[in-house]
Amino acid sequence: MTTAESHNGRRLTARGAKTRARIVSAAADLIYVQGVGATTLDDVLASSGVSKSQLYHHFDGKDALVRAVIDHVGERIIERERTALGHVSTIRGLRRWRDALVQNNALRHGAYGCALGSLAAEVSDHDALGRQALSRLFAEWERLLAGVLGRLQDSGNLPPEASIEHLATGVMAALQGGYLLAQTKRDITPMATSLDMALAHIERLSTD
């Protein structure tokens, strides 16, 4: 389904698309703070200012709305990461990427964690379609990291035998684990530490 269609497959008018986007944006904001389980459709109605009939015109239930939120949040994060990582080709550039993420998370003292990671924790075991969408988004994020590492390898700053895919997965795991620990401690130090360790490993490979 695209954002130009309702759940019954009918093409939306410009006004209808705007209403749908307002519903999804309101739901995304609520879910980020409250979580999927604690966010009700009544909460979304109150926050978005739409009627129940309007909501059900666009979504046949909460699961469908949550999937739209996954797409909305994922698109925003992947676009941010494309901008941040698209032209990075040095260890220094990777460290600047790390610094920006840590500093942004520090503004909330680690609260709420990664928007995509939080959705994955709540949705993956209960909604196969939602899990598949999240898996695709994380795979795209890892591909962006792998692109950076591939450029390092092409320039001779990583040995040819280094597994770009494995390194990208390791950096992603360090990032998501760091988000989670920072969230529980309300302190971004674990996030900074985990990313530092992952990047230090890449730097050692580069030096070797």
Side-chain angles (χ1 to χ4, degrees):
M1 181 188 299
T2 68
T3 55
E5 295 179 354
S6 65
H7 69 84
N8 56 21
R10 293 178 181 173
R11 190 80 178 173
L12 295 179
T13 63
R15 183 177 179 181
K18 187 175 180 180
T19 299
R20 185 185 189 278
R22 188 162 74 248
I23 294 168
V24 173
S25 179
D29 289 344
L30 288 166
I31 286 171
Y32 182 56
V33 175
Q34 299 178 178
V36 172
T39 299
T40 67
L41 291 181
D42 285 341
D43 292 335
V44 177
L45 291 173
S47 180
S48 64
V50 305
S51 67
K52 185 175 289 188
S53 62
Q54 285 177 304
L55 189 149
Y56 280 103
H57 174 74
H58 295 286
F59 305 100
D60 60 8
K62 185 176 177 180
D63 285 348
L65 177 55
V66 171
R67 290 171 200 147
V69 167
I70 291 170
D71 290 341
H72 171 77
V73 170
E75 180 180 354
R76 186 178 66 210
I77 289 176
I78 294 302
E79 184 56 37
R80 180 196 75 196
E81 294 301 290
R82 283 197 189 105
T83 300
L85 294 169
H87 300 290
V88 173
S89 57
T90 63
I91 294 291
R92 182 176 294 181
L94 266 178
R95 290 200 173 279
R96 285 197 295 267
W97 166 79
R98 168 264 190 216
D99 291 345
L101 289 177
V102 171
Q103 289 164 12
N104 185 61
N105 203 27
L107 297 175
R108 305 184 299 270
H109 302 289
Y112 312 124
C114 171
L116 210 56
S118 296
L119 282 165
E122 288 203 78
V123 169
S124 294
D125 291 336
H126 308 289
D127 180 358
L129 292 176
R131 181 190 61 76
Q132 290 163 12
L134 286 158
S135 179
R136 288 191 295 270
L137 288 164
F138 277 114
E140 177 60 24
W141 200 343
E142 283 192 37
R143 276 193 291 271
L144 292 170
L145 287 165
V148 175
L149 298 169
R151 289 189 287 276
L152 283 169
Q153 197 170 58
D154 290 342
S155 64
N157 289 311
L158 274 180
E161 66 273 16
S163 171
I164 298 304
E165 291 75 16
H166 288 173
L167 289 172
T169 298
V171 174
M172 178 59 69
L175 173 60
Q176 291 302 319
Y179 267 123
L180 179 61
L181 291 174
Q183 182 180 7
T184 55
K185 294 189 72 171
R186 290 295 189 268
D187 178 3
I188 51 87
T189 302
M191 179 185 182
T193 301
S194 63
L195 282 171
D196 283 343
M197 291 183 69
L199 297 188
H201 175 64
I202 293 170
E203 201 159 22
R204 280 194 298 274
L205 290 175
S206 176
T207 303
D208 293 342

